[in-house]
């Protein structure tokens, strides 16, 4: 198949899911390219806003062909920015077709706004489109509020879902989670995001004799990651088990707001903020840790949990994570916002032997390796292309 991937977000603002899926689909022999239009924000990073290329260009990223554009967003002009973003993607698609020909299918990542652009292109060019949805209702609620029917965005995005040849939520729970915004009147097949199980490979941890037990949390310092609950849970654990440490990594974890949250606790000297880390540093930190804990309040998937289990350590998290992350004997789940329950599970995983986790690592690979997920995506796309061709005939 000839597949065009259209991400809503891409470097320097995310987009790893789109890139990894593109690479995996290419290994199956498909012709895959990415059309990326990134809306830059002067408030977020003025240097990037000024210095990144002003012209569209055909290039590559990690051996995947990329048609790239950077759009300068206008502050406080949401609707004009959206309209302009979508129109640029449509223009880029027309230029893409002149260079590479018509694709068999469009694969958008997130309905907002790649899915909307894909829908318009599909209507104009008579090409099927699918939408992988990575966002949760909390993300939409933060932007649209609790009354979605009175926003201009939600009716457009609802149409994206309803017209898609397939919506691909990253977990089954996403469908119910998003139903207050978009209903359920659309065709969907849940397919997990993938992790690089070769990179996050199993490694037996060193013996614990004579050293602290090391917990790690990977997540940006935002309310929905539950750092307030995590710090309280660690305080409880540390009171009973002084030979414990907590390493935290993610954007904002080394900032003053995060430090203020735990500085007054008796366990504060044993909490080690690491800040934002690249993939290599994340893996190194996992290899140095004995268990991961994530007190999340909202999670469409939680790939850090799968990455941790793939390296061979157990994870403690909350009922906010979907079932496809809950690997048997590897994932221990507590109620949301229950520090005492999380502390109890943290104590429980401390009793597991250090030579633990190889079987769990294999289970992760069987569920979310690039080969497994690419094959699932391939099957859905082939079905959609076939159905669309029959419909058009």
């Amino acid at each position: 198949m000839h597949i065009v991937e259209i991400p809503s977000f891409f470097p320097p603002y995310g987009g790893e899911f789109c890139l990894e899926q593109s690479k995996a689909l290419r290994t199956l022999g498909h012709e895959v390219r990415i059309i990326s239009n990134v809306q830059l924000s002067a408030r977020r990073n003025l240097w990037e806003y000024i210095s990144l290329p002003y012209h569209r260009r055909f290039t590559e990223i990690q051996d995947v062909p990329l048609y790239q554009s950077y759009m300068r967003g206008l502050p406080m002009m949401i609707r004009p920015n959206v309209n302009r973003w979508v129109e640029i993607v449509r223009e880029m698609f027309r230029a893409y077709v002149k260079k590479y020909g018509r694709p068999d299918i469009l694969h958008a990542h997130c309905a907002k706004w790649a899915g909307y652009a894909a829908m318009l292109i599909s209507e104009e060019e008579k090409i099927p489109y699918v939408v992988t949805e990575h966002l949760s209702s909390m993300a939409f609620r933060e932007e649209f509020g609790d009354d979605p029917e009175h926003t201009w965005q939600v009716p457009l995005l609802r149409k994206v879902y309803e017209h898609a040849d397939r919506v691909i939520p990253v977990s089954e729970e996403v469908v119910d989670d998003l139903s207050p915004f978009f209903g359920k009147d659309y065709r969907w097949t849940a397919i997990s995001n993938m992790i690089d199980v070769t990179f996050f490979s199993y490694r037996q941890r060193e013996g614990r004799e004579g050293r602290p037990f090391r917990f790690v949390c990977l997540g940006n310092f935002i309310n929905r990651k539950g750092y307030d609950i995590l710090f309280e849970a660690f305080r409880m654990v540390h009171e009973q088990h002084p030979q414990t440490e907590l390493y935290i990594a993610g954007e904002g974890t080394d900032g003053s707001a995060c430090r203020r949250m735990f500085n007054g606790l008796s366990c504060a000297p044993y909490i080690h903020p690491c800040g934002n880390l690249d993939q290599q540093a994340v893996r190194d930190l996992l290899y140095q840790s004995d268990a991961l804990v994530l007190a999340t309040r909202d999670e469409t998937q939680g790939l850090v949990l799968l990455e941790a289990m793939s390296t061979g350590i157990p994870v403690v998290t909350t009922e906010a994570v979907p079932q496809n992350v809950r690997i048997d004997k590897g994932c221990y789940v507590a109620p949301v916002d229950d520090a005492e329950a999380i502390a109890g599970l943290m104590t429980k995983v401390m009793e597991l032997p250090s030579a633990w986790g190889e079987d769990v690592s294999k289970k992760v690979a069987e569920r979310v390796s690039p080969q497994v997920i690419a094959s699932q995506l391939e099957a859905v796309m082939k079905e959609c292309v076939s159905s669309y061709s029959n419909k058009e005939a």
Side-chain angles (χ1 to χ4, degrees):
M1 284 183 295
H2 180 177
I3 305 166
V4 165
E5 302 273 341
I6 307 176
S8 295
F9 316 98
F10 212 63
Y13 299 160
E16 293 81 5
F17 300 134
C18 172
L19 179 57
E20 293 305 314
Q21 290 189 7
S22 299
K23 288 159 59 177
L25 285 165
R26 283 172 62 84
T27 65
L28 297 184
H30 298 295
E31 181 183 355
V32 185
R33 299 182 185 88
I34 300 171
I35 293 177
S36 167
N37 180 33
V38 176
Q39 179 181 314
L40 300 175
S41 167
R43 291 182 176 181
R44 183 167 179 172
N45 190 310
L46 182 59
W47 173 248
E48 290 172 345
Y49 189 91
I50 295 171
S51 64
L52 286 172
Y54 283 77
H55 61 282
R56 300 170 196 172
R57 58 178 184 167
F58 291 95
T59 181
E60 283 191 356
I61 179 170
Q62 297 184 26
D63 297 324
V64 178
L66 168 67
Y67 188 19
Q68 184 179 63
S69 170
Y70 295 107
M71 166 188 145
R72 272 67 188 173
L74 303 174
M76 310 302 292
M77 301 289 284
I78 296 175
R79 194 162 190 169
N81 283 334
V82 168
N83 291 338
R84 185 160 151 254
W85 189 93
V86 170
E87 188 52 41
I88 287 173
V89 171
R90 296 175 71 185
E91 291 173 2
M92 293 175 73
F93 180 79
R94 288 191 283 268
Y96 175 96
V97 170
K98 289 181 180 179
K99 185 176 179 67
Y100 295 112
R102 286 166 53 86
D104 297 307
I105 192 166
L106 307 173
H107 182 196
H109 290 262
C110 300
K112 185 176 81 73
W113 289 99
Y116 184 67
M119 181 188 72
L120 296 180
I121 293 169
S122 173
E123 292 173 349
E124 184 176 284
E125 302 291 340
K126 308 303 179 187
I127 299 170
Y129 76 97
V130 298
V131 181
T132 289
E133 189 55 76
H134 304 273
L135 299 180
S136 69
S137 64
M138 185 174 288
F140 287 108
R141 194 170 286 113
E142 287 173 354
E143 183 170 352
F144 303 150
D146 293 319
D147 191 12
E149 296 302 324
H150 290 83
T151 67
W152 61 267
Q153 296 101 323
V154 169
L156 300 180
L157 298 175
R158 186 186 294 257
K159 187 178 177 183
V160 171
Y161 279 78
E162 294 172 351
H163 288 211
D165 294 271
R166 197 71 54 89
V167 175
I168 307 174
V170 295
S171 69
E172 293 186 4
E173 289 86 347
V174 170
V175 177
D176 286 333
D177 181 49
L178 294 181
S179 61
F181 290 88
F182 309 121
K184 296 184 180 180
D185 187 19
Y186 55 88
R187 294 156 291 185
W188 62 272
T189 301
I191 299 178
S192 169
N193 276 311
M194 64 185 67
I195 68 166
D196 187 343
V197 295
T198 301
F199 184 81
F200 291 102
S201 59
Y202 172 78
R203 179 179 294 180
Q204 184 174 326
R205 301 314 192 264
E206 63 177 299
R208 298 180 193 144
E209 189 70 28
R211 69 169 179 84
F213 187 100
R214 304 180 189 116
F215 288 101
V216 62
C217 178
L218 301 173
N220 293 340
F221 182 68
I222 52 179
N223 178 65
R224 61 189 178 94
K225 295 301 180 181
Y227 272 99
D228 53 333
I229 301 299
L230 169 63
F231 293 146
E232 177 60 16
F234 181 64
R235 181 193 66 77
M236 296 179 187
V237 171
H238 195 266
E239 284 183 354
Q240 300 299 318
H241 304 277
Q243 286 295 100
T244 52
E245 295 178 338
L246 173 63
Y247 292 79
I248 56 175
E251 187 174 337
T253 55
D254 57 348
S256 57
C258 183
R259 291 178 185 277
R260 283 196 299 270
M261 186 175 283
F262 68 77
N263 266 344
L265 301 176
S266 58
C267 61
Y270 302 91
I271 299 176
H272 308 285
C274 301
N276 205 20
L277 302 179
D278 62 22
Q279 189 182 53
Q280 181 73 49
V282 165
R283 187 182 66 173
D284 291 344
L285 184 56
L286 287 172
Y287 282 151
Q288 295 163 17
S289 303
D290 300 300
L292 182 141
V293 55
L294 182 69
T296 182
R297 295 184 168 100
D298 175 71
E299 208 72 39
T300 54
Q301 186 149 49
L303 293 186
V304 295
L305 304 173
L306 292 166
E307 290 168 351
M309 286 185 283
S310 184
T311 69
I313 59 174
V315 301
V316 173
T317 188
T318 73
E319 293 172 348
V321 303
Q323 291 293 332
N324 62 8
V325 174
R326 302 185 194 184
I327 304 294
D328 185 39
K329 298 181 180 178
C331 184
Y332 297 81
V333 178
V336 174
D337 285 338
D338 191 335
E340 186 174 356
I342 290 174
L345 292 178
M346 291 170 71
T347 300
K348 182 176 180 178
V349 300
M350 290 177 65
E351 298 170 356
L352 295 171
S354 57
W356 175 97
E358 190 167 9
D359 287 343
V360 169
S361 178
K362 291 176 181 176
K363 290 178 183 178
V364 172
E366 291 167 357
R367 187 175 296 190
V368 295
S369 72
Q371 295 83 0
V372 168
I373 300 305
S375 295
Q376 293 175 1
L377 290 169
E378 177 188 56
V380 168
M381 290 183 185
K382 283 183 174 179
E383 182 182 337
C384 290
V385 169
S386 177
S387 298
Y388 193 88
S389 298
N390 293 334
K391 179 176 64 177
E392 288 299 299

